[in-house]
Amino acid sequence: MCGIVGYVGNKNSVPILLDGLKKLEYRGYDSAGLAVPGNGMVEIVKEVGNLSHLEDAVSNNRINGNLGIGHTRWATHGRPTQANAHPHNDCKNKISVVHNGIIENFIELKEALIGRGHTFHSETDTEVIPHLIEECYDGDLFEAVQSAIKDLEGSFAIAVICQDNPDLIVVARKDSPLIIGIGDREYFVASDIPAVLNYTKDIFILQDCEMAKITSKGISITTFEGEEVNKDIFKVKWDDEAAEKGGYEDFMLKEIYEQPKAIRETLRDKFGKDGEIIFEEVPFGKEKACELNKVVIIACGTSYHAGLVGKQAIEQWAKVPVEVDISSEFRYSNPILNENDLVITITQSGETADTLAGVREAKNRGATVIGVTNVLGSTITREADGMIYTHAGPEIGVAATKTLVSQMAVLYVFALYLAKCRGTLSDEEIAAIACDIQKLPDQVEEILSANGKIKDVANKYANCADFLYLGRGIGLPVALEGALKLKEISYIHAEGYAAGEMKHGPIALLDEGVPVVAIATKSKVHEKILGNIQEVRARGADVIAVSTFGDKEIEKVADHTFYVTETMETLSAILAVIPLQLLAYYMAKARGCNVDQPRNLAKSVTVE
Ligand code: F6R
């Protein structure tokens, strides 16, 4: 949802800003732009399309300077045009602003500003900000920003520069992420940590309603009210390679292959030496677990699919009823919750606006909220009562892969933890399941190394217009996720459906041109899904199945089968999803799609 960067120091800011924007492109790639103080006014270069267009424009332009700001856009207000690209300026082209978020009251602000003689050049909500700052400016940029943001409603992370002071960036945040990288007499501003990792691992994470005055000589952080804030430096543990492609063609493929490591790292701090289950930041012990009335899981997209898997594990092992809701539905559903209910909210980015709104709704009703995220310091970590971290490392590809399997892994362990607290499984049963969970990284590795034919199958079906993905039980969330992956990166229409429901409608869609992907791993409903596959074949559809190594039955009914390692039924989701990620990936590649930056999408959805 837009990425912003800034640099102040003693180097040329332009290559540093471009490098930072490259790392943030996952947040949006409709247009990109830079602003650097120049000869008498702030110089701006901006281009429609992804960053390569801006890079070309910059190489034809002598723009440079020791300070600058930049932006990569995911369009919300106004189409992806050059005029709507950031940075945006005031009337005199002295003050320049980049913004991530949404100014909800921009229409009334804009009308008032026009009434007072300001001229606008874009359809964006952002453009009101430099004009408001212009009205408050009398030589002190920090004070002008501090006054101007009082008028803003909505969410913003902004970086502001002014021609009058080419050694000053003012930044402010409310409900949109912002970090500041600390170098040697230089500072880096960014929406997310990967943008600064090439330069520093020492970070200040700005919190809501905080702002900063940053020069090459130092930094001061205050609240919006001007109260000084003393911040600890956050030391990033990832190496810079974690945010690079490392020889892979795309981030998505690299991240698919990083899944064994992501699960291993995620599990590492959850199991103690004596098989103890550890959730350090979860305020939820035996007493609360025993009083638990129900669990509600809220999330969006792929994280929602992880939630569907978590439901099955929690219900089966901890014997607590679990509801799973899409955050954007939950927040307006007038949910029935009380202090004996637990809400688990899953968000890899920790910034999804609908999910955060759901968290606030749940807390208002007295429920305990536990967040699951991959991003330390993200907004969810401050809003939830307790946190569970996945340690998948930075996920740059827009389509979630390694964060999904890491989410599933922690939900499995948390289900086991609840079961232990509630005494619904014996110690032996818990130990056996824990042992199977810890085998998952190696099993994912095995599946990844036996994926040879997925590419051929993808090439064969890449021109089909529609796909149906069918699953039952633990296979249903896998089918939903397989269909979502295909849609989002290859733009092929795909529906995920409960296999038993197929005859109540979707079967009408089937003919020779609609391949069906069936999740048929070993389970108590295996025979049933084989029956559904027969129904599909009778309508002429080709069947691509995901099954367990050694399944002889499947070969008789499926046209192609991808095999996964045998594990207990509940855990099989984490394995069965792997071939479907690769199928979607190769299908998208065969169609020439940009898998890391699918159209209209962004990695972190900070708008409602
Ligand atoms: C799909 C995908 C999205 C996200 C969704 C929620 O590949 O990545 O569907 O899962 O936008 O994002 P988070 O988990 O950051 O809340």
Side-chain angles (χ1 to χ4, degrees):
M1 286 296 113
C2 300
I4 69 171
V5 291
Y7 173 80
V8 56
N10 44 24
K11 304 194 181 94
N12 179 9
S13 63
V14 173
I16 296 171
L17 296 172
L18 287 172
D19 182 48
L21 288 177
K22 193 149 206 67
K23 306 285 166 29
L24 294 184
E25 251 197 317
Y26 70 86
R27 301 178 70 87
Y29 28 83
D30 289 331
S31 63
L34 295 180
V36 174
N39 299 322
M41 60 185 232
V42 176
E43 286 188 61
I44 305 256
V45 187
K46 46 191 187 182
E47 290 295 326
V48 175
N50 67 16
L51 194 64
S52 61
H53 298 95
L54 179 68
E55 285 170 333
D56 290 346
V58 164
S59 65
N60 298 326
N61 181 311
R62 287 196 300 275
I63 184 168
N64 75 64
N66 297 340
L67 168 116
I69 53 176
H71 187 269
T72 181
R73 178 165 188 248
W74 187 81
T76 55
H77 292 71
R79 285 171 307 113
T81 60
Q82 193 163 31
N84 288 334
H86 298 216
H88 291 289
N89 283 5
D90 69 329
C91 293
K92 300 186 198 88
N93 288 325
K94 273 174 71 164
I95 294 167
S96 201
V97 174
V98 287
H99 167 221
N100 167 214
I102 288 195
I103 305 305
E104 284 162 6
N105 58 338
F106 87 99
I107 294 179
E108 70 190 70
L109 291 173
K110 188 169 174 175
E111 280 169 3
L113 284 159
I114 291 172
R116 296 199 291 272
H118 291 262
T119 308
F120 281 75
H121 301 283
S122 79
E123 305 157 289
T124 65
D125 53 333
T126 302
E127 203 183 353
V128 298
I129 305 174
H131 292 280
L132 286 172
I133 297 171
E134 178 184 9
E135 289 197 339
C136 303
Y137 181 69
D138 64 1
D140 187 327
L141 186 65
F142 184 81
E143 278 180 10
V145 173
Q146 195 176 26
S147 301
I149 57 179
K150 288 192 184 124
D151 289 338
L152 303 179
E153 286 168 21
S155 58
F156 53 87
I158 53 171
V160 187
I161 59 171
C162 177
Q163 173 63 28
D164 293 346
N165 192 342
D167 189 42
L168 171 66
I169 304 180
V170 177
V171 297
R173 83 155 269 184
K174 182 178 164 276
D175 293 336
S176 290
L178 196 64
I179 61 107
I180 300 164
I182 308 158
D184 179 15
R185 279 168 296 152
E186 58 182 356
Y187 291 91
F188 309 83
V189 171
S191 299
D192 196 3
I193 292 171
V196 306
L197 277 186
N198 272 346
Y199 311 98
T200 180
K201 295 201 173 67
D202 291 347
I203 307 283
F204 287 132
I205 297 174
L206 228 57
Q207 304 296 0
D208 270 350
C209 301
E210 288 179 352
M211 54 191 298
K213 186 194 259 183
I214 313 168
T215 73
S216 58
K217 291 167 204 73
I219 178 168
S220 77
I221 302 176
T222 67
T223 63
F224 285 0
E225 283 71 42
E227 233 171 87
E228 203 180 317
V229 176
N230 285 317
K231 251 185 207 302
D232 291 336
I233 294 177
F234 173 73
K235 296 239 173 231
V236 182
K237 295 205 184 95
W238 310 328
D239 51 26
D240 8 350
E241 274 176 31
E244 303 289 346
K245 283 189 196 154
Y248 285 89
E249 213 171 309
D250 322 87
F251 279 111
M252 181 178 176
L253 191 61
K254 175 184 176 235
E255 287 157 4
I256 289 173
Y257 277 87
E258 280 175 345
Q259 292 182 110
K261 183 175 173 214
I263 304 171
R264 218 170 264 129
E265 290 298 317
T266 295
L267 293 178
R268 196 184 298 283
D269 60 356
K270 314 288 184 298
F271 289 110
K273 276 200 207 98
D274 312 316
E276 197 193 347
I277 302 171
I278 306 163
F279 284 101
E280 269 177 359
E281 292 186 40
V282 171
F284 210 84
K286 195 172 165 62
E287 200 180 322
K288 273 195 148 182
C290 289
E291 284 168 1
L292 195 54
N293 179 36
K294 71 171 176 201
V295 175
V296 179
I297 300 180
I298 59 168
C300 304
T302 290
S303 296
Y304 169 75
H305 298 151
L308 294 173
V309 172
K311 169 186 164 78
Q312 301 205 23
I314 295 170
E315 287 189 338
Q316 207 169 319
W317 300 335
K319 311 285 181 225
V320 197
V322 182
E323 294 165 15
V324 190
D325 214 347
I326 294 165
S327 309
S328 53
E329 290 297 317
F330 173 85
R331 63 182 290 192
Y332 296 115
S333 67
N334 202 4
I336 302 167
L337 290 171
N338 63 39
E339 53 286 355
N340 288 335
D341 297 327
L342 171 65
V343 171
I344 302 177
T345 176
I346 311 169
T347 165
Q348 58 79 23
S349 64
E351 302 291 347
T352 300
D354 283 320
T355 301
L356 294 171
V359 167
R360 289 167 203 141
E361 192 62 43
K363 281 177 76 177
N364 285 341
R365 286 159 198 263
T368 303
V369 177
I370 294 177
V372 175
T373 192
N374 195 45
V375 181
L376 283 160
S378 58
T379 305
I380 187 67
T381 63
R382 274 172 292 111
E383 303 247 353
D385 300 305
M387 283 309 303
I388 299 176
Y389 291 99
T390 55
H391 302 298
E395 188 174 69
I396 312 289
V398 164
T401 53
K402 62 177 179 170
T403 53
L404 165 76
V405 292
S406 306
Q407 289 165 348
M408 287 184 186
V410 289
L411 289 168
Y412 287 142
V413 187
F414 190 67
L416 216 49
Y417 171 77
L418 285 182
K420 193 177 170 90
C421 293
R422 291 165 59 81
T424 47
L425 292 177
S426 68
D427 286 349
E428 292 70 34
E429 285 168 319
I430 289 175
I433 297 172
C435 178
D436 281 357
I437 292 175
Q438 288 173 93
K439 285 183 192 154
L440 290 169
D442 288 349
Q443 292 170 337
V444 172
E445 217 145 54
E446 189 178 6
I447 295 161
L448 285 169
S449 59
N451 78 79
K453 65 180 176 191
I454 298 181
K455 190 172 179 179
D456 295 340
V457 175
N459 287 339
K460 179 170 175 194
Y461 294 101
N463 290 323
C464 293
D466 300 286
F467 270 76
L468 192 59
Y469 282 65
L470 298 178
R472 306 179 78 119
I474 199 70
L476 178 55
V478 177
L480 296 176
E481 174 60 11
L484 177 64
K485 282 286 95 88
L486 187 67
K487 276 186 271 214
E488 68 179 327
I489 60 169
S490 74
Y491 318 138
I492 297 173
H493 168 247
E495 267 196 71
Y497 228 82
E501 267 296 285
M502 187 187 55
K503 52 189 165 298
H504 301 288
I507 199 161
L509 292 170
L510 294 182
D511 61 26
E512 305 82 50
V514 182
V516 172
V517 179
I519 318 308
T521 42
K522 202 169 169 189
S523 75
K524 56 184 169 302
V525 287
H526 188 246
E527 288 303 317
K528 305 283 172 204
I529 194 102
L530 291 182
N532 297 132
I533 291 175
Q534 295 288 13
E535 291 160 8
V536 162
R537 283 176 64 83
R539 272 82 193 171
D542 277 10
V543 174
I544 302 164
V546 177
S547 191
T548 312
F549 284 118
D551 181 354
K552 293 282 173 247
E553 289 305 302
I554 199 74
E555 284 170 11
K556 298 180 195 150
V557 292
D559 298 277
H560 310 278
T561 307
F562 308 138
Y563 290 100
V564 300
T565 315
E566 185 170 352
T567 181
M568 56 186 302
E569 187 174 333
T570 313
L571 300 184
S572 66
I574 206 170
L575 304 182
V577 79
I578 308 290
L580 300 188
Q581 296 169 337
L582 285 166
L583 183 67
Y585 170 82
Y586 286 121
M587 208 103 77
K589 292 298 279 187
R591 291 163 69 88
C593 301
N594 181 342
V595 295
D596 285 339
Q597 297 177 346
R599 68 184 178 211
N600 305 334
L601 291 174
K603 185 87 193 151
S604 114
V605 185
T606 53
V607 295
E608 185 177 347

